[in-house]
Amino acid sequence: MRIYNTLTDKVEEFIPIEEGKVTMYVCGPTVYNYVHIGNMRPVMTFDMVYNYFKYLGYEVTYASNFTDVNPKIITAAKELGLTEREVADKFIKAYLNDLESYNCSTIDYRPRVIEHIDDIYNFISKLIEKDMAYEVDGDVYFRVNKIPNYGILSNQNVDELISGARVEVDEKKESPLDFALWRKTTEGEQFDSPWGKGIPGWHTECVVMINSLFGTKIDIHGGGVDLKFPHHENEIAQSMALNNNTLANYWMHNGHINLDGEKMSKSLGNFILARDFVKLHSPNVIKIALFKTHYRLPLNLTDDLFNEAVVIDKKIYDVLRQANLKIQTDKLEIGIVKKDEKINEIMDEDFNTPNLITYLNDLVKELNSALRSNQDIVSPYDKINLINKILGLKYDLPKMSDEDIEIYNKWNEYRKNKDFENADKLRSILVEKNII
Ligand SMILES: [Zn+2]
């Protein structure tokens, strides 16, 4: 298995920390409003990554957090006339609904910041003890110049960053690059701390949750490319300071989503909510459209892309349904093929889902022609199902009872004997039962 590691900008052989096991963390949403379709790309991408590791036989532990303590939530609480906890609960619930309606169910742990406030105090205290952080007037900042390789993830050096416009100027900080681990707050939800009332910084929250759940290092840390700097860079800096490691051996970033050629973002007001989008397209169609582009590349959502995905989805469903009918009436044993070299070959190269979809199309053709020529259908049928499982595609196929099979066989017999009157009667029963 080879993965493009954003940390080294190279495709690298995947070597897990513990043999046969994968630990993975993906930054989850800040729960202050409904997520948009751009937020669903990492969800579907890492769902696929999880499924592929499972296919390879790994034991995978996957955590994705809720950022439920954040200034944005304080603002939203004020606007909505709710408490911060009510805002977080409302949008956590909405997000869980989104996961369900997109058939994404691989996340094992969903830590919330609120459950880790004590861990956060301890973490920050240790950084202060090590002289890696300092307190000013109720705020605590991380001392970036203590980290020699700061900028390793986003390939920027400290001088470039300081001269660039990407960091805010704050006279409280020793250096403009220093970032807040703890921030004094005067309104909204606040927590008592050794440094006074305030809330933790976002970059600290994720590191602490990872350390609490998994220990000092994990195999894969994922998220959208927008999180590379400063969020992930600052997660790495804190982990370097405390544990002398880069927090994860492999950093994976998915590309962003363009809407009609323009970057989708909340701040641009150019976005579609995930919950609305899934009313327009089924989760299968959305995933086929998404996985036709490699996860690292920007994805342009266009009507053509979805029209194409609808066709592919229908072809898969139609052939599976037809094959499934034959499997049930002929009592064929399925699930025999558990591995397919071709799938491995494609996916071992940094999860090449566009090629996997091409292969899926080939298998659909193969299964169609096997059905027509009465050849072995189990092998292509099983392989299609292996791919569907990896991509998170779900097809509900009619299940036949013994009685249904009897009716079906009789219907075929009548047709063969050209007894159309009786055949039609049985046909309408089969149609009503959604079998044909
Ligand atoms: Zn994070």
Side-chain angles (χ1 to χ4, degrees):
M1 177 71 225
R2 286 151 56 80
I3 295 179
Y4 186 90
N5 191 352
T6 324
L7 194 61
T8 56
D9 288 318
K10 282 192 191 96
V11 179
E12 292 174 359
E13 186 66 35
F14 176 72
I15 303 163
I17 295 168
E18 207 179 319
E19 210 189 312
K21 292 185 179 173
V22 179
T23 46
M24 182 163 90
Y25 179 92
V26 175
C27 294
T30 302
V31 281
Y32 69 108
N33 59 13
Y34 298 110
V35 298
H36 61 71
I37 178 72
N39 303 116
M40 291 307 285
R41 190 170 186 196
V43 174
M44 291 183 275
T45 299
F46 290 97
D47 201 58
M48 173 276 292
V49 167
Y50 178 101
N51 289 331
Y52 185 60
F53 275 117
K54 283 288 229 193
Y55 162 87
L56 290 177
Y58 282 95
E59 188 185 305
V60 194
T61 314
Y62 173 16
S64 184
N65 72 300
F66 291 116
T67 301
D68 63 337
V69 176
N70 188 279
K72 284 177 180 164
I73 295 173
I74 296 176
T75 309
K78 238 177 158 179
E79 281 169 12
L80 298 170
L82 299 169
T83 66
E84 284 77 6
R85 289 305 100 204
E86 284 166 345
V87 171
D89 287 348
K90 175 183 161 92
F91 292 110
I92 284 173
K93 206 170 149 201
Y95 181 72
L96 292 174
N97 275 336
D98 288 336
L99 292 186
E100 207 176 294
S101 54
Y102 280 74
N103 286 331
C104 292
S105 56
T106 51
I107 301 168
D108 299 304
Y109 295 101
R110 298 197 183 98
R112 301 179 190 198
V113 177
I114 196 83
E115 298 157 353
H116 291 279
I117 299 288
D118 285 345
D119 298 331
I120 291 171
Y121 299 146
N122 293 334
F123 185 88
I124 297 174
S125 302
K126 276 191 227 159
L127 285 173
I128 294 175
E129 256 166 56
K130 285 190 124 185
D131 207 29
M132 293 290 186
Y134 54 96
E135 193 229 316
V136 188
D137 186 26
D139 290 347
V140 180
Y141 294 101
F142 186 85
R143 218 169 239 135
V144 165
N145 65 16
K146 288 265 189 176
I147 303 297
N149 61 356
Y150 187 78
I152 184 176
L153 183 71
S154 50
N155 294 320
Q156 306 171 87
N157 67 44
V158 168
D159 294 338
E160 280 166 7
L161 284 166
I162 291 177
S163 64
R166 302 181 74 177
V167 283
E168 60 202 279
V169 179
D170 185 338
E171 58 276 11
K172 283 209 265 178
K173 300 187 211 172
E174 290 175 5
S175 155
L177 286 184
D178 293 354
F179 55 89
L181 307 177
W182 186 267
R183 227 181 240 290
K184 183 164 91 178
T185 49
T186 48
E187 55 178 352
E189 186 177 49
Q190 43 189 212
F191 302 90
D192 287 319
S193 83
W195 319 286
K197 284 185 190 306
I199 63 168
W202 174 37
H203 314 314
T204 303
E205 295 173 345
C206 278
V207 188
V208 170
M209 285 187 271
I210 290 170
N211 285 178
S212 305
L213 277 170
F214 294 105
T216 58
K217 203 178 192 184
I218 54 174
D219 291 302
I220 297 171
H221 191 312
V225 68
D226 292 356
L227 298 184
K228 245 165 112 172
F229 186 86
H231 184 51
H232 290 164
E233 195 72 64
N234 289 348
E235 284 189 38
I236 291 175
Q238 293 168 83
S239 183
M240 287 302 293
L242 213 54
N243 304 315
N244 198 27
N245 69 37
T246 54
L247 188 60
N249 283 333
Y250 303 87
W251 285 77
M252 290 176 68
H253 292 96
N254 64 273
H256 59 250
I257 285 186
N258 290 327
L259 197 60
D260 296 323
E262 228 188 296
K263 193 187 154 199
M264 190 187 298
S265 93
K266 268 193 188 128
S267 48
L268 294 174
N270 158 45
F271 62 89
I272 309 171
L273 293 180
R275 62 210 298 257
D276 295 331
F277 201 63
V278 78
K279 287 173 199 153
L280 300 174
H281 303 289
S282 75
N284 283 352
V285 167
I286 295 172
K287 286 175 190 180
I288 291 167
L290 175 91
F291 290 129
K292 277 176 75 71
T293 299
H294 190 267
Y295 75 87
R296 285 197 291 120
L297 298 175
L299 169 67
N300 199 18
L301 299 187
T302 60
D303 287 343
D304 282 353
L305 179 67
F306 284 95
N307 294 339
E308 225 180 307
V310 166
V311 172
I312 297 172
D313 177 55
K314 186 170 182 328
K315 279 185 183 163
I316 301 169
Y317 177 73
D318 286 347
V319 79
L320 285 181
R321 193 185 155 106
Q322 231 184 310
N324 185 257
L325 198 63
K326 189 170 167 60
I327 285 161
Q328 294 184 77
T329 53
D330 292 7
K331 297 200 177 349
L332 300 175
E333 193 190 343
I334 53 161
I336 299 166
V337 183
K338 300 223 169 6
K339 281 266 154 3
D340 177 5
E341 277 310 311
K342 180 93 195 212
I343 294 178
N344 293 42
E345 202 180 288
I346 293 167
M347 291 295 280
D348 278 356
E349 276 306 307
D350 196 29
F351 309 96
N352 195 336
T353 57
N355 284 3
L356 193 65
I357 289 181
T358 306
Y359 181 44
L360 179 58
N361 273 322
D362 294 343
L363 288 168
V364 166
K365 280 183 204 144
E366 191 184 321
L367 182 53
N368 264 317
S369 85
L371 279 164
R372 278 196 305 270
S373 55
N374 225 358
Q375 282 170 337
D376 165 48
I377 62 165
V378 172
S379 167
Y381 182 86
D382 278 354
K383 287 174 185 175
I384 290 172
N385 280 323
L386 288 175
I387 295 175
N388 287 346
K389 208 163 172 195
I390 292 168
L391 297 179
L393 307 179
K394 276 198 177 145
Y395 293 95
D396 283 327
L397 302 170
K399 276 212 174 60
M400 296 168 81
S401 65
D402 289 344
E403 191 201 342
D404 297 337
I405 293 173
E406 213 173 289
I407 298 171
Y408 181 82
N409 287 338
K410 233 181 216 157
W411 172 58
N412 272 328
E413 218 178 280
Y414 285 138
R415 285 202 305 171
K416 220 187 266 166
N417 300 334
K418 299 196 188 319
D419 180 353
F420 296 117
E421 197 181 322
N422 277 315
D424 279 353
K425 273 185 206 152
L426 295 185
R427 188 179 182 282
S428 52
I429 295 174
L430 291 166
V431 168
E432 200 177 307
K433 288 186 165 215
N434 195 29
I435 288 164
I436 56 170

